[in-house]
Amino acid sequence: MDKTALILEGGAMRGMFTCGVLDVFMENGVTFEAACGVSAGATFGCNLKSRQIGRAIRYNKEYARDPRYCSIRSLIKTGDLYGAEFCYRVLPEELDIFDRETFAADPMKFYVVATDADTGRPAYHLCTDGGEEDLTWIRASASMPMVSKPVKINGCRYLDGGITDSVPFAYMESIGYTKNVIILTRPKGYRKKKGHFSKMFKVLLRDLPAMERAMMKRHEMYNSQMKEIERREKKGQVLVIRPPEDLGIKRTESDPKELERVYEIGRKTGEEMLGSVTAFLK
């Protein structure tokens, strides 16, 4: 029997679209045997396993303008545009509690993808209890090169998983999940262009040459994945949920109205796709 999985692309605050879809899934009892999140797909997607409807949009609207959450000041003071202490300790432990108990008890397996900063290869982690190690992996998955310090885990250094495996459907298939729903945060037909910052990559990533090479090839990896996903979609092998058009939101958007706007697009799309999703998962 086919095993089901949900795969969540990143995209920083485009992830509000994903949050809207996930809340609709939770409200309607749509479940998966596993999920795999990348970058924002990991930071927001973990709320699916903790069953916390509305948490991601709520705390983003409340704290996105807080300089401890995301700011140039944080980048200068800590080396991280998104403040690690605030985002991964203060927020989930004190301000908008992350339900670790429910996360650990929920049967859905939750994987995240990061990039090994020294090899330039993707690394995958199965989150089990939502504790400190899991949150560190989630942080690593969302740590964008050049505006984040590499995250150290067990002697290795990691950065954003989207650099080397933006949509990890192939990985999930390799571990046995063959009926996959994919949530993208770009509209159909989108392709990445070659980066215009190659000199900047060389300067800012001079101590991480494997990451610099990965960044230079990221558009090739991503476009190849999109081509394959669209091919599989036509054959009915995967079900894809994506925005109807470009979301028009900044990666680091902090305006609550803009966050809500994109979240509502996700909700509307999720509601429109509910029938197709439930039929696909049967």
PDB file of all heavy atoms in Angstrom, residues 1 6 12 22 27 43 56 80 102 105 116 147 169 172 187 207 242:
ATOM      1  N   MET A   1       0.839  -1.202   0.000  1.00  0.00           N
ATOM      2  CA  MET A   1       0.000   0.000   0.000  1.00  0.00           C
ATOM      3  C   MET A   1       0.872   1.250   0.000  1.00  0.00           C
ATOM      4  O   MET A   1       1.892   1.318   0.699  1.00  0.00           O
ATOM      5  CB  MET A   1      -0.924  -0.001   1.223  1.00  0.00           C
ATOM      6  CG  MET A   1      -1.924   1.136   1.251  1.00  0.00           C
ATOM      7  SD  MET A   1      -3.055   0.971   2.655  1.00  0.00           S
ATOM      8  CE  MET A   1      -4.044   2.436   2.440  1.00  0.00           C
ATOM      9  N   LEU A   6       3.567  14.675   2.803  1.00  0.00           N
ATOM     10  CA  LEU A   6       3.348  16.069   2.439  1.00  0.00           C
ATOM     11  C   LEU A   6       4.712  16.738   2.372  1.00  0.00           C
ATOM     12  O   LEU A   6       5.515  16.618   3.307  1.00  0.00           O
ATOM     13  CB  LEU A   6       2.478  16.762   3.489  1.00  0.00           C
ATOM     14  CG  LEU A   6       2.177  18.240   3.287  1.00  0.00           C
ATOM     15  CD1 LEU A   6       1.333  18.457   2.030  1.00  0.00           C
ATOM     16  CD2 LEU A   6       1.456  18.802   4.510  1.00  0.00           C
ATOM     17  N   ALA A  12      10.665  31.784   2.684  1.00  0.00           N
ATOM     18  CA  ALA A  12      10.525  32.845   3.689  1.00  0.00           C
ATOM     19  C   ALA A  12       9.040  33.193   3.883  1.00  0.00           C
ATOM     20  O   ALA A  12       8.224  32.285   4.075  1.00  0.00           O
ATOM     21  CB  ALA A  12      11.361  34.067   3.306  1.00  0.00           C
ATOM     22  N   LEU A  22      -2.189  24.550   5.361  1.00  0.00           N
ATOM     23  CA  LEU A  22      -2.070  23.594   6.468  1.00  0.00           C
ATOM     24  C   LEU A  22      -3.193  23.752   7.487  1.00  0.00           C
ATOM     25  O   LEU A  22      -3.697  22.757   8.025  1.00  0.00           O
ATOM     26  CB  LEU A  22      -0.708  23.747   7.156  1.00  0.00           C
ATOM     27  CG  LEU A  22       0.519  23.430   6.310  1.00  0.00           C
ATOM     28  CD1 LEU A  22       1.783  23.523   7.161  1.00  0.00           C
ATOM     29  CD2 LEU A  22       0.415  22.053   5.668  1.00  0.00           C
ATOM     30  N   GLU A  27      -8.137  21.676  10.029  1.00  0.00           N
ATOM     31  CA  GLU A  27      -9.553  21.898  10.334  1.00  0.00           C
ATOM     32  C   GLU A  27     -10.452  20.829   9.729  1.00  0.00           C
ATOM     33  O   GLU A  27     -11.547  20.571  10.237  1.00  0.00           O
ATOM     34  CB  GLU A  27      -9.972  23.274   9.817  1.00  0.00           C
ATOM     35  CG  GLU A  27      -9.363  24.433  10.589  1.00  0.00           C
ATOM     36  CD  GLU A  27      -9.481  25.761   9.857  1.00  0.00           C
ATOM     37  OE1 GLU A  27     -10.046  25.796   8.738  1.00  0.00           O
ATOM     38  OE2 GLU A  27      -8.998  26.778  10.400  1.00  0.00           O
ATOM     39  N   THR A  43       9.970  25.588   9.429  1.00  0.00           N
ATOM     40  CA  THR A  43       9.635  26.415  10.591  1.00  0.00           C
ATOM     41  C   THR A  43       8.134  26.556  10.791  1.00  0.00           C
ATOM     42  O   THR A  43       7.650  26.591  11.925  1.00  0.00           O
ATOM     43  CB  THR A  43      10.263  27.820  10.471  1.00  0.00           C
ATOM     44  OG1 THR A  43       9.803  28.445   9.273  1.00  0.00           O
ATOM     45  CG2 THR A  43      11.766  27.745  10.446  1.00  0.00           C
ATOM     46  N   ALA A  56       1.087  29.749  13.403  1.00  0.00           N
ATOM     47  CA  ALA A  56       2.123  30.397  12.590  1.00  0.00           C
ATOM     48  C   ALA A  56       1.709  31.787  12.125  1.00  0.00           C
ATOM     49  O   ALA A  56       2.490  32.739  12.205  1.00  0.00           O
ATOM     50  CB  ALA A  56       2.485  29.516  11.402  1.00  0.00           C
ATOM     51  N   ASP A  80      22.790  36.846  12.615  1.00  0.00           N
ATOM     52  CA  ASP A  80      21.592  36.205  12.072  1.00  0.00           C
ATOM     53  C   ASP A  80      20.509  37.256  11.834  1.00  0.00           C
ATOM     54  O   ASP A  80      20.118  37.957  12.768  1.00  0.00           O
ATOM     55  CB  ASP A  80      21.044  35.151  13.033  1.00  0.00           C
ATOM     56  CG  ASP A  80      21.955  33.945  13.156  1.00  0.00           C
ATOM     57  OD1 ASP A  80      22.286  33.353  12.114  1.00  0.00           O
ATOM     58  OD2 ASP A  80      22.337  33.603  14.294  1.00  0.00           O
ATOM     59  N   THR A 102       2.297  17.411  22.189  1.00  0.00           N
ATOM     60  CA  THR A 102       1.472  16.942  21.071  1.00  0.00           C
ATOM     61  C   THR A 102       2.345  16.575  19.878  1.00  0.00           C
ATOM     62  O   THR A 102       2.097  15.584  19.191  1.00  0.00           O
ATOM     63  CB  THR A 102       0.453  18.017  20.673  1.00  0.00           C
ATOM     64  OG1 THR A 102      -0.426  18.252  21.782  1.00  0.00           O
ATOM     65  CG2 THR A 102      -0.372  17.580  19.471  1.00  0.00           C
ATOM     66  N   ALA A 105       3.740  13.175  20.412  1.00  0.00           N
ATOM     67  CA  ALA A 105       2.731  12.115  20.432  1.00  0.00           C
ATOM     68  C   ALA A 105       2.091  11.872  19.069  1.00  0.00           C
ATOM     69  O   ALA A 105       1.616  10.766  18.787  1.00  0.00           O
ATOM     70  CB  ALA A 105       1.648  12.462  21.454  1.00  0.00           C
ATOM     71  N   ASP A 116      24.620  20.727   4.395  1.00  0.00           N
ATOM     72  CA  ASP A 116      25.918  20.642   5.056  1.00  0.00           C
ATOM     73  C   ASP A 116      26.807  21.719   4.446  1.00  0.00           C
ATOM     74  O   ASP A 116      27.145  21.664   3.257  1.00  0.00           O
ATOM     75  CB  ASP A 116      26.522  19.252   4.848  1.00  0.00           C
ATOM     76  CG  ASP A 116      27.798  19.034   5.652  1.00  0.00           C
ATOM     77  OD1 ASP A 116      28.668  19.925   5.631  1.00  0.00           O
ATOM     78  OD2 ASP A 116      27.949  17.967   6.272  1.00  0.00           O
ATOM     79  N   VAL A 147      23.151  35.773   5.404  1.00  0.00           N
ATOM     80  CA  VAL A 147      22.468  36.538   6.453  1.00  0.00           C
ATOM     81  C   VAL A 147      22.229  35.672   7.694  1.00  0.00           C
ATOM     82  O   VAL A 147      21.442  36.021   8.560  1.00  0.00           O
ATOM     83  CB  VAL A 147      21.131  37.136   5.956  1.00  0.00           C
ATOM     84  CG1 VAL A 147      21.391  38.192   4.903  1.00  0.00           C
ATOM     85  CG2 VAL A 147      20.202  36.051   5.436  1.00  0.00           C
ATOM     86  N   PHE A 169      10.964  15.723  -2.879  1.00  0.00           N
ATOM     87  CA  PHE A 169      10.097  14.599  -3.212  1.00  0.00           C
ATOM     88  C   PHE A 169      10.920  13.344  -3.485  1.00  0.00           C
ATOM     89  O   PHE A 169      10.501  12.230  -3.135  1.00  0.00           O
ATOM     90  CB  PHE A 169       9.219  14.939  -4.425  1.00  0.00           C
ATOM     91  CG  PHE A 169       9.982  15.230  -5.686  1.00  0.00           C
ATOM     92  CD1 PHE A 169      10.253  14.214  -6.586  1.00  0.00           C
ATOM     93  CD2 PHE A 169      10.410  16.513  -5.980  1.00  0.00           C
ATOM     94  CE1 PHE A 169      10.968  14.473  -7.748  1.00  0.00           C
ATOM     95  CE2 PHE A 169      11.122  16.776  -7.139  1.00  0.00           C
ATOM     96  CZ  PHE A 169      11.409  15.752  -8.023  1.00  0.00           C
ATOM     97  N   MET A 172      11.891  11.703  -0.178  1.00  0.00           N
ATOM     98  CA  MET A 172      10.770  11.029   0.473  1.00  0.00           C
ATOM     99  C   MET A 172      10.408   9.734  -0.250  1.00  0.00           C
ATOM    100  O   MET A 172      10.075   8.729   0.391  1.00  0.00           O
ATOM    101  CB  MET A 172       9.567  11.970   0.554  1.00  0.00           C
ATOM    102  CG  MET A 172       9.791  13.167   1.473  1.00  0.00           C
ATOM    103  SD  MET A 172      10.318  12.715   3.153  1.00  0.00           S
ATOM    104  CE  MET A 172       8.755  12.114   3.827  1.00  0.00           C
ATOM    105  N   PRO A 187       3.945  30.167  -8.368  1.00  0.00           N
ATOM    106  CA  PRO A 187       2.905  29.704  -9.294  1.00  0.00           C
ATOM    107  C   PRO A 187       3.461  28.742 -10.346  1.00  0.00           C
ATOM    108  O   PRO A 187       4.676  28.628 -10.536  1.00  0.00           O
ATOM    109  CB  PRO A 187       2.408  31.007  -9.940  1.00  0.00           C
ATOM    110  CG  PRO A 187       3.569  31.937  -9.831  1.00  0.00           C
ATOM    111  CD  PRO A 187       4.262  31.593  -8.547  1.00  0.00           C
ATOM    112  N   ASP A 207      34.836  31.320   3.126  1.00  0.00           N
ATOM    113  CA  ASP A 207      35.234  30.250   4.050  1.00  0.00           C
ATOM    114  C   ASP A 207      34.402  28.987   3.861  1.00  0.00           C
ATOM    115  O   ASP A 207      34.629  27.985   4.542  1.00  0.00           O
ATOM    116  CB  ASP A 207      35.093  30.726   5.502  1.00  0.00           C
ATOM    117  CG  ASP A 207      36.042  31.877   5.821  1.00  0.00           C
ATOM    118  OD1 ASP A 207      37.160  31.903   5.249  1.00  0.00           O
ATOM    119  OD2 ASP A 207      35.674  32.742   6.633  1.00  0.00           O
ATOM    120  N   ARG A 242      -0.322  24.983  -5.303  1.00  0.00           N
ATOM    121  CA  ARG A 242       0.537  26.153  -5.531  1.00  0.00           C
ATOM    122  C   ARG A 242      -0.333  27.408  -5.604  1.00  0.00           C
ATOM    123  O   ARG A 242      -1.546  27.323  -5.847  1.00  0.00           O
ATOM    124  CB  ARG A 242       1.337  25.988  -6.818  1.00  0.00           C
ATOM    125  CG  ARG A 242       0.462  25.657  -8.017  1.00  0.00           C
ATOM    126  CD  ARG A 242       1.218  25.746  -9.313  1.00  0.00           C
ATOM    127  NE  ARG A 242       2.207  24.732  -9.558  1.00  0.00           N
ATOM    128  CZ  ARG A 242       1.974  23.525 -10.075  1.00  0.00           C
ATOM    129  NH1 ARG A 242       0.726  23.152 -10.348  1.00  0.00           N
ATOM    130  NH2 ARG A 242       2.951  22.687 -10.329  1.00  0.00           N
TER     131      ARG A 242
END
